[in-house]
Amino acid sequence: MSKRKKIVAILLICCVLFILILLGCYASVSFNALGRTYDKVEDVPPHKYGLLLGTSPFTAQGARNFYFENRIKSAVELYKARKIKHIIVSGGNYTRRLGYDEPRAMTDSLVAHGVPFHAIIRDYDGTRTLRSIVKAKDTYHLDSVIIISQRYHNERAIAQADKYGLETIGFNAPHSPIRRNRMKNVLREFPARIKLYLDLWFGDKPSFLFEAKEISPSHLEDWYYDPSMPVSGLWTFKSVSDYGYGFIKMISSDTPNDKGNLSYYNSRHGYYVQLPKGMGFNQRGENIMGAHDNEFYNADTTLVVSSSALFFDVILDDIPHYADSLASYEYDFLKKIGNHSIKKISQNVWITKGRIDHNNKENPPADRFIRKWLLKKDIEDRECQMSLTIYFNDSLDYRIPEFEKIVDKFPDK
């Protein structure tokens, strides 16, 4: 055999081997996921968490992305069928480079389809499927999850989850109705599965900056220590889970592991309020645009301590006696909530308590409240109302004297 024929033969053998590797990788991933993905929602066994894998809400050409839309619809279907209680939206923020924020786009779409905001957990580390999987296992400490994406994507994600000990099943979202798009994704999946095996065999396990905090029952958020935003004498921790909405969440602790006494830190108005022992991380956060609303939960989930602040340049514009006007504003506000009583502590501080009218959908899920109102100056010398509130249910009625003492201990800062 001539040298040229040998080269041609070797090239042919290499091509055949490469094709066999392509087909073998593809088939093995599909075989591994056999019986572990579902097309019908009624067949899906219930889980606490669904992991919605991110993609762009629009194509590179600016057209609607059916893969995004179909994943959203599938997640909504699972949630409304009570197959999942929480949805982790995992993706990346590509606003500066590509003009979209995947976790925010998915959150907005889910809410528009009737999923409540508090049921959605935003993971900004999901820039690759592998990162989404490892984050769910190592940061959120989940044992099992339903992956929500198209079938080919679910099969690949299940293989990654098996590698890192996360029990998974997949709920298959429909493909794009456009044949060209379907063909493109199927062809792209062949090299993607080779890369999958390379990652599983030789790749490094992703690591993350964040530590997950359970800010309310089963609702997880990413927090980390931020040395660039310290409170004097305290350790400051920060969450970016809602920064796409103009919210930045911060909390300070007197210990470096945030297990000590926590403080609500309001960076815009320049004050912090130390919370009672045992309070957890905040639920909503600080709106960097103006108003503030933070909630802290303790181990008893029927008890919520909330702190909020709002300056009154707009509400009390051109009214000279702020304190008197605020008292009137406070009374009107509480009148809409339900039966209440007011006890004045000093010229600008008073405590109110009462029963909540559940016909008002804006009320928190509680039966009663005790609220301490303060009227203070912020760092721009504006009159600023701050309220510190405990919401609780009738089952904790016997603790009312204790709650009054807790609220009264908040410093007038």
Side-chain angles (χ1 to χ4, degrees):
M1 184 182 291
S2 66
K3 185 176 181 181
R4 183 175 181 181
K5 287 182 178 180
K6 286 183 179 179
I7 294 174
V8 171
I10 292 172
L11 289 176
L12 286 174
I13 292 172
C14 290
C15 289
V16 170
L17 287 175
F18 181 70
I19 291 172
L20 288 175
I21 291 172
L22 278 177
L23 294 175
C25 289
Y26 192 96
S28 64
V29 171
S30 296
F31 181 79
N32 176 68
L34 200 62
R36 300 166 67 182
T37 66
Y38 299 84
D39 297 309
K40 297 180 179 179
V41 69
E42 57 267 23
D43 296 334
V44 179
H47 285 62
K48 183 176 286 187
Y49 294 94
L51 177 60
L52 178 57
L53 299 178
T55 186
S56 168
F58 46 82
T59 67
Q61 293 73 35
R64 59 190 294 194
N65 186 349
F66 290 101
Y67 288 94
F68 176 89
E69 294 180 10
N70 289 339
R71 291 182 197 182
I72 293 294
K73 291 176 182 177
S74 296
V76 172
E77 190 178 6
L78 282 176
Y79 182 83
K80 291 187 175 180
R82 298 185 178 179
K83 298 293 184 176
I84 52 177
K85 296 180 179 179
H86 301 273
I87 303 174
I88 302 172
V89 293
S90 184
N93 183 1
Y94 307 106
T95 303
R96 291 185 179 180
R97 184 162 58 92
L98 300 173
Y100 60 87
D101 177 334
E102 287 179 344
R104 175 169 182 173
M106 289 188 285
T107 298
D108 291 344
S109 295
L110 290 171
V111 171
H113 284 80
V115 177
F117 189 82
H118 63 76
I120 303 168
I121 299 168
R122 284 162 294 287
D123 168 26
Y124 277 91
D125 277 322
T127 52
R128 290 186 60 199
T129 304
L130 178 62
R131 293 179 64 82
S132 300
I133 294 294
V134 176
K135 179 77 172 283
K137 179 64 178 178
D138 287 0
T139 301
Y140 296 147
H141 304 294
L142 303 186
D143 295 320
S144 62
V145 71
I146 299 177
I147 301 172
I148 307 164
S149 188
Q150 278 69 33
R151 180 190 293 272
Y152 67 86
H153 199 183
N154 285 338
E155 291 175 347
R156 183 155 36 94
I158 286 173
Q160 293 170 327
D162 288 347
K163 165 74 173 179
Y164 292 103
L166 178 65
E167 294 184 11
T168 55
I169 60 173
F171 185 54
N172 301 323
H175 287 273
S176 169
I178 302 174
R179 180 181 298 178
R180 182 181 67 256
N181 290 345
R182 294 199 302 272
M183 291 297 297
K184 181 177 68 175
N185 279 280
V186 169
L187 292 174
R188 189 172 59 184
E189 190 64 16
F190 283 94
R193 294 193 177 188
I194 291 180
K195 188 176 188 306
L196 164 69
Y197 278 109
L198 292 175
D199 282 338
L200 296 181
W201 292 335
F202 307 111
D204 294 329
K205 185 178 181 180
S207 59
F208 304 97
L209 171 68
F210 301 106
E211 180 182 352
K213 301 295 181 184
E214 191 174 27
I215 56 171
S216 61
S218 298
H219 190 94
L220 305 170
E221 262 187 16
D222 297 343
W223 287 79
Y224 66 99
Y225 169 61
D226 186 358
S228 67
M229 305 192 74
V231 178
S232 179
L234 299 175
W235 295 74
T236 299
F237 300 86
K238 186 176 177 181
S239 167
V240 295
S241 66
D242 291 326
Y243 80 97
Y245 294 89
F247 286 86
I248 182 170
K249 302 181 183 183
M250 288 178 286
I251 193 169
S252 297
S253 170
D254 59 1
T255 59
N257 60 1
D258 64 76
K259 300 299 182 185
N261 286 302
L262 302 182
S263 296
Y264 159 57
Y265 172 47
N266 187 312
S267 63
R268 181 182 177 89
H269 290 162
Y271 57 77
Y272 67 93
V273 178
Q274 190 171 25
L275 300 175
K277 187 76 173 179
M279 285 296 146
F281 272 57
N282 60 335
Q283 163 73 5
R284 277 180 278 183
E286 174 183 333
N287 184 337
I288 59 176
M289 302 305 294
H292 309 276
D293 201 353
N294 288 260
E295 295 184 357
F296 299 83
Y297 294 76
N298 75 345
D300 184 350
T301 57
T302 57
L303 173 64
V304 179
V305 172
S306 171
S307 57
S308 62
L310 181 67
F311 61 84
F312 284 91
D313 287 16
V314 177
I315 295 177
L316 302 176
D317 190 26
D318 296 329
I319 298 178
H321 303 292
Y322 280 134
D324 294 338
S325 300
L326 186 57
S328 175
Y329 172 78
E330 148 76 350
Y331 181 84
D332 292 338
F333 175 79
L334 289 174
K335 189 175 181 181
K336 298 175 183 177
I337 289 184
N339 298 324
H340 66 280
S341 62
I342 300 177
K343 180 171 65 176
K344 200 162 188 176
I345 299 176
S346 65
Q347 178 62 31
N348 295 332
V349 181
W350 58 93
I351 288 181
T352 67
K353 62 181 179 178
R355 181 172 292 278
I356 294 175
D357 179 8
H358 287 284
N359 293 324
N360 187 340
K361 295 181 180 179
E362 296 180 358
N363 286 327
D367 299 314
R368 301 189 179 203
F369 68 92
I370 294 177
R371 176 178 287 117
K372 180 178 180 180
W373 293 90
L374 311 173
L375 186 69
K376 309 300 292 182
K377 298 276 189 180
D378 67 15
I379 57 175
E380 297 178 11
D381 202 38
R382 298 173 298 188
E383 296 286 356
C384 177
Q385 169 198 300
M386 183 168 182
S387 66
L388 303 160
T389 309
I390 291 182
Y391 298 106
F392 58 98
N393 293 324
D394 284 336
S395 60
L396 299 177
D397 212 24
Y398 67 97
R399 295 178 62 184
I400 287 180
E402 175 191 353
F403 295 160
E404 287 182 331
K405 290 180 180 178
I406 291 175
V407 174
D408 196 38
K409 286 181 179 178
F410 278 101
D412 298 350
K413 288 188 178 182

